[in-house]
Amino acid sequence: ERSKSLELAAYHKHERKVTQRFQQAALPRLLPRVPGLTFGAFYRPGMDEAQVGGDWYDALQLADGRVVFSIGDVCGAGLDAAIAMSTVRLVFRGAAQVNPDPAVMLDAAHRTLCAENQDRLVTAFVGIFDPITSLITYASAGHPPPLLRAADGSIVELWSPGVPLGLPFTIERTVNLMSMPPGSLLVLYTDGLTEATHDPIAGEAGVRRALADEGVR
């Protein structure tokens, strides 16, 4: 029995290493360099024993100068969740090159998940920033709304109705517009941040307090 326990522990350790390396390879190594914009990203697993899950972030600049960004969370953890994460992220990138519309990108990922029978629910937020108009076009699939802090310190949510990807039905996605003038700070996050202490209300309040702090800018 002891031998089997050691073998099982070694197997899980190896799987965690493989999964961690896979996600590190799947996440963007570099974020876009766009004049007038600054990008930053931080990822830390929410569960040490799982090492890695299905959370992701991404940003890329299109040929016409617009910037596409996304964030999301695949239900579950481990290698299967990381594979689903990589699939959705790559579908977003591919769809953005053909038709950079947040609703179209979400629907493309939804159809892919259903077609591959991955049996995974995915929350996601997709936005497209136009540096000429300073407008963000965005849509959500049940993901926590990003927070936009204006230069005067005011904070608004980029809320949009929507259900997670991968459900056995389709809905019409709502596309919204929000202005992001110079001096603004946009914060996107997954629920792993707000639910780390198992109190999502307190977690959301903590994010808002941090964003309201002048030192954040």
Side-chain angles (χ1 to χ4, degrees):
E1 292 296 332
R2 179 177 175 80
S3 176
K4 289 182 179 179
S5 297
L6 291 175
E7 289 177 2
L8 187 61
Y11 171 79
H12 287 307
K13 182 178 181 180
H14 176 70
E15 184 181 33
R16 286 196 297 270
K17 286 184 177 180
V18 171
T19 305
Q20 188 175 36
R21 289 179 180 176
F22 179 86
Q23 186 176 49
Q24 289 174 346
L27 291 174
R29 295 188 177 184
L30 295 174
L31 294 172
R33 294 185 178 181
V34 182
L37 298 178
T38 301
F39 295 86
F42 177 78
Y43 174 85
R44 174 179 291 172
M47 299 179 294
D48 291 338
E49 67 272 17
Q51 287 295 314
V52 67
D55 292 16
W56 86 85
Y57 59 86
D58 197 12
L60 70 151
Q61 187 174 27
L62 301 176
D64 62 9
R66 287 181 293 175
V67 177
V68 178
F69 55 92
S70 70
I71 190 167
D73 181 8
V74 178
C75 180
L79 185 58
D80 288 342
I83 291 173
M85 171 273 292
S86 178
T87 298
V88 173
R89 176 175 167 262
L90 291 177
V91 169
F92 282 166
R93 281 187 160 241
Q97 300 294 339
V98 178
N99 187 356
D101 178 287
V104 172
M105 294 167 63
L106 289 173
D107 286 341
H110 171 75
R111 291 194 300 271
T112 299
L113 287 172
C114 293
E116 295 185 356
N117 296 315
Q118 293 207 15
D119 194 26
R120 290 280 174 176
L121 296 183
V122 180
T123 66
F125 179 94
V126 177
I128 300 175
F129 176 70
D130 188 333
I132 296 178
T133 63
S134 296
L135 290 175
I136 300 174
T137 307
Y138 64 93
S140 177
H143 196 78
L147 299 174
L148 178 67
R149 172 184 165 135
D152 63 4
S154 60
I155 299 174
V156 295
E157 287 186 347
L158 273 68
W159 184 85
S160 180
V163 298
L165 309 174
L167 289 171
F169 57 85
T170 58
I171 66 167
E172 184 177 351
R173 303 285 176 185
T174 301
V175 177
N176 306 268
L177 285 174
M178 177 72 71
S179 175
M180 191 172 74
S184 299
L185 174 64
L186 180 64
V187 176
L188 300 91
Y189 59 93
T190 65
D191 59 11
L193 176 65
T194 54
E195 297 180 5
T197 60
H198 305 290
D199 187 344
I201 296 178
E204 292 174 7
V207 173
R208 284 181 172 270
R209 283 196 304 272
L211 190 56
D213 190 327
E214 280 297 323
V216 169
R217 299 188 68 245

